[in-house]
Amino acid sequence: MIILAFDQATRTSGWSVYRDKELIAHGTFTFTDNNLGLRLWKIRQKVEELYRKYLPDKIVYEDIQLQQNAINNVATFKSLAEVFGIIFEYATELGVDNEAILSGTWRKGLGIAGTKREQYKPNTQKWVKDNCGVSVSEDEADAIAIGAYAAGIRNNCCRIL
């Protein structure tokens, strides 16, 4: 089973690919165009490129949720929903199994602690370093962890081939 995982965002998105329980690739892509429509189009192109390269059996991505007490949260939620929709729609168009996973679900499943961003982001990077042997950015770490959770990995199972 090949899983393509995303920690999607409107500017920098992380991605990872697992073959069974082995991490075989990971990275990020960044688009900084001021025009959100252009960024969304480029994100779709990148998702398509990664699909064609790895031909996953399943695509997983982080679910979105409206945060309480966050500045500009509604605008952020709206733009993240558009990115979410691109991945969901593309996977549906292809007939590929896909799943949105809440951040709290994959973090809890992997035993990643923290209630605030400044806690759980570095803890996710540490989990990836300890379990996959790679030092990566926050976005990449989240994508690797989302993929690990979807692949059924809980610790010391993923490695780069």
Side-chain angles (χ1 to χ4, degrees):
M1 155 113 26
I2 297 174
I3 297 173
L4 173 59
F6 290 99
D7 174 41
Q8 74 277 8
T10 60
R11 295 210 182 258
T12 299
S13 296
W15 60 271
S16 68
V17 180
Y18 284 84
R19 181 179 302 119
D20 299 318
K21 293 185 182 226
E22 295 180 289
L23 177 64
I24 62 169
H26 57 87
T28 61
F29 53 88
T30 301
F31 302 113
T32 58
D33 306 274
N34 288 331
N35 181 307
L36 178 60
L38 183 56
R39 285 198 319 265
L40 293 171
W41 179 80
K42 288 180 178 181
I43 290 167
R44 163 88 186 213
Q45 299 304 305
K46 188 63 178 180
V47 170
E48 289 178 5
E49 175 188 318
L50 289 167
Y51 174 80
R52 286 190 305 271
K53 182 172 184 177
Y54 295 104
L55 299 173
D57 302 295
K58 185 172 186 175
I59 298 173
V60 296
Y61 39 94
E62 191 169 69
D63 206 346
I64 59 171
Q65 52 193 11
L66 191 61
Q67 302 294 318
Q68 298 298 320
N69 302 321
I71 298 172
N72 298 324
N73 189 44
V74 173
T76 299
F77 181 80
K78 181 181 173 188
S79 60
L80 286 174
E82 293 185 60
V83 178
F84 176 98
I86 287 170
I87 297 170
F88 178 58
E89 183 274 332
Y90 183 64
T92 301
E93 176 185 323
L94 294 169
V96 174
D97 186 22
N98 68 93
E99 180 182 6
I101 305 170
L102 284 168
S103 59
T105 300
W106 62 261
R107 283 191 192 105
K108 183 178 179 181
L110 298 176
I112 297 170
T115 56
K116 297 181 179 179
R117 181 182 181 92
E118 56 270 6
Q119 296 168 330
Y120 59 73
K121 287 293 187 177
N123 289 343
T124 303
Q125 288 174 293
K126 182 179 181 331
W127 187 93
V128 168
K129 176 69 173 166
D130 292 349
N131 291 282
C132 301
V134 293
S135 296
V136 295
S137 70
E138 291 177 354
D139 300 305
E140 227 169 328
D142 285 0
I144 290 169
I146 292 164
Y149 178 81
I153 295 167
R154 295 304 175 256
N155 57 36
N156 298 320
C157 296
C158 63
R159 61 185 167 90
I160 300 289
L161 290 178

PDB file of all heavy atoms in Angstrom, residues 4 21 25 34 45 121 131:
ATOM      1  N   LEU A   4       0.093   8.702   0.204  1.00  0.00           N
ATOM      2  CA  LEU A   4       0.583  10.068  -0.015  1.00  0.00           C
ATOM      3  C   LEU A   4      -0.101  10.940   1.024  1.00  0.00           C
ATOM      4  O   LEU A   4      -1.327  10.976   1.094  1.00  0.00           O
ATOM      5  CB  LEU A   4       0.239  10.536  -1.431  1.00  0.00           C
ATOM      6  CG  LEU A   4       0.519  11.999  -1.789  1.00  0.00           C
ATOM      7  CD1 LEU A   4       1.993  12.357  -1.618  1.00  0.00           C
ATOM      8  CD2 LEU A   4       0.056  12.276  -3.226  1.00  0.00           C
ATOM      9  N   LYS A  21       4.940   0.422   5.590  1.00  0.00           N
ATOM     10  CA  LYS A  21       5.299   1.214   6.776  1.00  0.00           C
ATOM     11  C   LYS A  21       6.657   1.869   6.630  1.00  0.00           C
ATOM     12  O   LYS A  21       7.293   2.224   7.618  1.00  0.00           O
ATOM     13  CB  LYS A  21       5.257   0.336   8.022  1.00  0.00           C
ATOM     14  CG  LYS A  21       3.854  -0.105   8.349  1.00  0.00           C
ATOM     15  CD  LYS A  21       3.787  -0.863   9.637  1.00  0.00           C
ATOM     16  CE  LYS A  21       2.349  -1.298   9.855  1.00  0.00           C
ATOM     17  NZ  LYS A  21       1.883  -1.051  11.175  1.00  0.00           N
ATOM     18  N   ALA A  25       9.733   8.949   0.727  1.00  0.00           N
ATOM     19  CA  ALA A  25      10.006  10.294   0.201  1.00  0.00           C
ATOM     20  C   ALA A  25       9.259  11.320   1.046  1.00  0.00           C
ATOM     21  O   ALA A  25       8.243  11.012   1.665  1.00  0.00           O
ATOM     22  CB  ALA A  25       9.565  10.403  -1.258  1.00  0.00           C
ATOM     23  N   ASN A  34       0.755  36.521  -4.601  1.00  0.00           N
ATOM     24  CA  ASN A  34      -0.257  37.271  -3.852  1.00  0.00           C
ATOM     25  C   ASN A  34      -1.671  36.826  -4.202  1.00  0.00           C
ATOM     26  O   ASN A  34      -2.571  36.895  -3.372  1.00  0.00           O
ATOM     27  CB  ASN A  34      -0.110  38.776  -4.108  1.00  0.00           C
ATOM     28  CG  ASN A  34       1.117  39.332  -3.423  1.00  0.00           C
ATOM     29  OD1 ASN A  34       1.550  38.833  -2.389  1.00  0.00           O
ATOM     30  ND2 ASN A  34       1.692  40.368  -4.005  1.00  0.00           N
ATOM     31  N   GLN A  45      -1.617  21.590  -9.233  1.00  0.00           N
ATOM     32  CA  GLN A  45      -0.607  21.039 -10.147  1.00  0.00           C
ATOM     33  C   GLN A  45       0.410  20.188  -9.388  1.00  0.00           C
ATOM     34  O   GLN A  45       0.813  19.129  -9.863  1.00  0.00           O
ATOM     35  CB  GLN A  45       0.106  22.169 -10.906  1.00  0.00           C
ATOM     36  CG  GLN A  45      -0.794  23.025 -11.784  1.00  0.00           C
ATOM     37  CD  GLN A  45      -1.571  22.204 -12.792  1.00  0.00           C
ATOM     38  OE1 GLN A  45      -1.002  21.462 -13.562  1.00  0.00           O
ATOM     39  NE2 GLN A  45      -2.886  22.340 -12.776  1.00  0.00           N
ATOM     40  N   LYS A 121       4.545  21.528  17.722  1.00  0.00           N
ATOM     41  CA  LYS A 121       5.349  21.577  16.489  1.00  0.00           C
ATOM     42  C   LYS A 121       6.754  21.006  16.726  1.00  0.00           C
ATOM     43  O   LYS A 121       7.185  20.107  15.993  1.00  0.00           O
ATOM     44  CB  LYS A 121       5.409  22.997  15.918  1.00  0.00           C
ATOM     45  CG  LYS A 121       4.099  23.457  15.279  1.00  0.00           C
ATOM     46  CD  LYS A 121       3.788  22.671  14.028  1.00  0.00           C
ATOM     47  CE  LYS A 121       2.581  23.237  13.310  1.00  0.00           C
ATOM     48  NZ  LYS A 121       2.302  22.529  12.056  1.00  0.00           N
ATOM     49  N   ASN A 131      12.077   8.710  15.251  1.00  0.00           N
ATOM     50  CA  ASN A 131      11.476   7.519  14.648  1.00  0.00           C
ATOM     51  C   ASN A 131      11.817   7.307  13.180  1.00  0.00           C
ATOM     52  O   ASN A 131      11.721   6.189  12.688  1.00  0.00           O
ATOM     53  CB  ASN A 131       9.958   7.554  14.826  1.00  0.00           C
ATOM     54  CG  ASN A 131       9.578   7.375  16.268  1.00  0.00           C
ATOM     55  OD1 ASN A 131       9.600   6.268  16.774  1.00  0.00           O
ATOM     56  ND2 ASN A 131       9.268   8.466  16.946  1.00  0.00           N
TER      57      ASN A 131
END
